[in-house]
């Protein structure tokens, strides 16, 4: 097992090594651009040893905010043929060009932690960022909330690309007409750890549909081929609203609008409860079916201050089936796979978000257990993109920025 001091040094080296000047790539090769939520986690990691660099990361991300407030999920700073689909496929506009969808809105959550760590150093940055974060949250409320519940229009918008949550919605997407294309991810990473070709065909079909609408987000929502509620994004957005309101209050802003959004999201929480599953669940708005998957969405409820005693026992039972952190899919589910991306592996970054929830709800023992398991997993498997939750072995890309960041901010701390 590697020592903490060595891992601290290695984590910093990874963040420095993935720094492309103002923005950080998730990892060299597999992901050569700026990804929205990866970038915010990188900023959080940088904040432990280079606070000015941390704020620059978020500023660079928000520099690509669209006129309607959306902060895109990928910013293609420098064209790199090692990634597909690139800016020519997305046609999301912007300079630098971007994708046409967003990603889970973690910025306000982590920016608040960074700011509260050193208010003087962060005051100018947070003051400039605040109205931009408000505009992004407004975009979510206008374009990605249906009847009070957060939705995603593409599995990539959830950040959990191939998790079982999306199986019903994906089954309704026709991927048969996307033509020939050359995936690059499987040239970097073992194909058994990545989504399947049938998934990629459908991912592309959804991109082509949005592109054909000129990424008019009202049309993407109303007419796109995929639309599912996402409890994970819902709870992240709700927590981010609470944090944004807290930031705004500290800055002397009128936060009534932000509080109103939080109220709307909070009031809709019971609508995400699937009684058959006994947990918060994703729902396919196209086919009218619950995902019936005990997944990340349920685990993230604590992050938003939501607790449900009926669910706790279900969740801890699932957790007890693995050894290293929270599995991204139910270990007792029929399609559980400990190595395939979001269909079972443990993600240090998700464990950290879930732990923020445990801290909020006073679940100290769970927080300590999750931190210990995540630290052990990193000691065994290194700074991998994600890990096998049964044996801690590394999966996906190596030298990953967000896993390094989670080590520095939480998993590697006593
Ligand atoms: C990918 O390419 O795997 C990404 O998750 C898309 O955002």
């Amino acid at each position: 097992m590697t020592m903490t001091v060595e891992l601290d040094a290695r984590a910093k080296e990874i963040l420095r090594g993935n720094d492309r000047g103002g923005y950080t790539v998730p990892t060299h090769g597999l992901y050569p651009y700026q990804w929205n939520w990866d970038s915010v986690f990188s900023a959080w990691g940088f904040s432990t040893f280079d606070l000015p660099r941390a704020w620059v990361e978020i500023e660079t991300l928000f520099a690509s905010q669209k006129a309607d407030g959306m902060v895109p999920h990928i910013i293609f700073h420098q064209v790199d043929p090692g990634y597909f689909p690139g800016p020519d496929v997305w046609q999301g506009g912007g300079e630098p060009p971007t994708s046409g969808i967003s990603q889970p809105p973690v910025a306000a959550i982590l920016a608040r932690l960074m700011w509260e760590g050193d208010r003087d150093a962060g005051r100018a940055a947070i003051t400039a960022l605040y109205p931009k974060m408000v505009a992004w949250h407004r975009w979510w409320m206008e374009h990605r909330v249906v009847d009070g519940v957060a939705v995603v229009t593409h599995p990539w918008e959830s950040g959990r690309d191939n998790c079982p949550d999306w199986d019903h919605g994906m089954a309704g997407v026709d991927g048969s007409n996307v033509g020939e294309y050359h995936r690059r991810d499987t040239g970097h990473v073992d194909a058994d750890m990545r989504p399947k070709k049938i998934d990629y065909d459908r991912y592309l079909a959804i991109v082509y549909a949005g592109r054909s609408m000129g990424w008019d987000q009202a049309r993407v929502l109303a007419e796109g081929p995929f639309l599912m509620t996402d409890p994970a994004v819902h709870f992240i957005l709700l927590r981010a609203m609470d944090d944004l309101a807290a930031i705004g209050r500290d800055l002397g802003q009128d936060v009534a609008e932000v509080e109103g959004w939080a109220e709307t999201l909070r009031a809709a929480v019971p609508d995400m409860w699937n009684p058959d599953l006994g947990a918060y669940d994703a729902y396919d708005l196209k086919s009218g079916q619950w995902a019936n998957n005990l997944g990340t969405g349920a685990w993230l409820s604590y992050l938003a201050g939501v607790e449900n005693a009926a669910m706790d026992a279900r969740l801890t039972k699932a957790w007890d089936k693995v050894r290293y952190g929270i599995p991204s899919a139910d270990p007792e589910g029929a399609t559980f796979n400990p190595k395939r991306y979001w269909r079972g592996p443990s993600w240090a970054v998700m464990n950290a978000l879930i732990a923020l929830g445990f801290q909020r709800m006073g679940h100290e023992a769970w927080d300590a257990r999750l931190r210990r398991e995540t630290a052990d997993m990193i000691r065994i498997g290194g700074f991998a993109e994600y890990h096998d939750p049964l044996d801690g072995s590394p999966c996906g890309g190596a030298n990953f920025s967000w896993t390094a960041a989670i080590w520095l901010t939480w998993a590697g701390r006593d």
Side-chain angles (χ1 to χ4, degrees):
M1 291 232 187
T2 318
M3 301 293 291
T4 299
V5 285
E6 287 170 46
L7 286 169
D8 282 0
R10 183 71 198 119
K12 290 175 191 170
E13 215 173 85
I14 287 171
L15 283 173
R16 292 280 192 218
N18 289 337
D19 182 355
R20 296 290 177 271
Y23 72 96
T24 309
V25 298
T27 186
H28 173 75
L30 179 64
Y31 295 120
Y33 299 112
Q34 185 176 24
W35 261 262
N36 186 323
W37 70 332
D38 290 80
S39 184
V40 179
F41 283 106
S42 292
W44 195 28
F46 272 118
S47 75
T48 63
F49 64 100
D50 187 346
L51 192 53
R53 178 62 189 79
W55 286 113
V56 166
E57 183 78 31
I58 303 187
E59 280 159 21
T60 306
L61 176 65
F62 276 80
S64 282
Q65 185 166 34
K66 303 288 181 187
D68 65 3
M70 184 180 85
V71 184
H73 106 289
I74 309 176
I75 299 155
F76 301 105
H77 289 278
Q78 274 184 346
V79 176
D80 187 321
Y83 180 81
F84 176 86
D88 51 326
V89 176
W90 275 98
Q91 298 173 16
E95 189 45 56
T98 74
S99 66
I101 55 171
S102 200
Q103 235 178 2
V106 293
I109 303 172
L110 302 185
R112 180 181 178 194
L113 291 175
M114 281 167 46
W115 187 51
E116 290 183 346
D118 188 337
R119 285 174 188 258
D120 289 340
R123 185 167 302 277
I126 200 86
T127 303
L129 199 56
Y130 178 76
K132 297 177 186 177
M133 293 196 292
V134 172
W136 189 25
H137 285 203
R138 184 178 295 114
W139 178 87
W140 274 98
M141 297 306 294
E142 285 176 357
H143 297 292
R144 294 293 188 269
V145 171
V146 174
D147 295 333
V149 179
V151 298
V152 288
T153 61
H154 193 302
W156 286 341
E157 200 157 50
S158 75
R160 307 183 319 285
D161 306 4
N162 68 338
C163 71
D165 289 0
W166 314 136
D167 288 358
H168 285 313
M170 284 286 271
V173 177
D174 178 6
S176 65
N177 290 318
V178 294
E180 291 288 311
Y181 61 93
H182 180 190
R183 275 175 75 170
R184 303 299 157 108
D185 58 320
T186 45
H188 299 286
V189 167
D190 183 347
D192 289 342
M193 296 179 178
R194 295 287 303 173
K196 298 178 179 172
K197 172 163 165 40
I198 189 172
D199 300 318
Y200 258 77
D201 290 348
R202 290 167 173 163
Y203 295 152
L204 283 182
I206 307 170
V207 170
Y208 292 160
R211 187 175 81 179
S212 76
M213 299 170 200
W215 297 110
D216 171 339
Q217 297 296 338
R219 285 192 61 198
V220 168
L221 183 71
E223 301 167 37
F226 179 94
L227 190 68
M228 289 191 69
T229 70
D230 184 353
V233 162
H234 189 96
F235 290 126
I236 288 171
L237 184 62
L238 176 49
R239 166 62 178 257
M241 289 296 187
D242 290 343
D243 287 328
L244 190 61
I247 294 168
R249 271 191 295 274
D250 280 355
L251 294 176
Q253 302 283 330
D254 176 356
V255 296
E257 188 182 22
V258 179
E259 286 175 337
W261 295 332
E263 209 33 64
T264 300
L265 296 170
R266 213 178 302 281
V269 166
D271 299 339
M272 295 189 297
W273 184 258
N274 175 351
D276 294 334
L277 181 68
Y280 299 108
D281 194 15
Y283 184 84
D284 182 16
L285 288 163
K286 300 272 180 198
S287 69
Q289 297 175 84
W290 289 107
N292 269 313
N293 175 50
L294 189 72
T296 306
W299 281 105
L300 284 174
S301 57
Y302 307 96
L303 184 67
V306 171
E307 194 153 28
N308 196 308
M311 193 176 62
D312 286 354
R314 291 269 291 120
L315 289 177
T316 44
K317 184 164 167 267
W319 190 4
D320 287 344
K321 295 263 178 261
V322 300
R323 288 184 66 184
Y324 298 100
I326 307 294
S328 50
D330 185 353
E332 295 190 307
T335 65
F336 176 77
N337 180 328
K339 295 199 188 295
R340 199 183 282 280
Y341 212 36
W342 290 95
R343 298 188 79 87
S346 174
W347 293 68
V349 68
M350 211 37 106
N351 293 341
L353 273 187
I354 292 165
L356 285 177
F358 290 166
Q359 290 157 24
R360 177 173 183 165
M361 302 309 283
H363 288 304
E364 283 160 27
W366 290 359
D367 177 37
R369 171 180 168 186
L370 187 50
R371 195 176 64 75
R372 192 178 60 247
E373 291 183 3
T374 305
D376 285 349
M377 166 177 109
I378 292 172
R379 287 194 181 97
I380 293 167
F383 294 102
E385 183 179 7
Y386 44 96
H387 295 77
D388 183 323
L390 302 173
D391 63 12
S393 60
C395 299
N399 302 319
F400 228 81
S401 296
W402 70 9
T403 308
I406 294 312
W407 176 265
L408 292 169
T409 50
W410 170 68
R413 307 278 63 81
D414 286 329

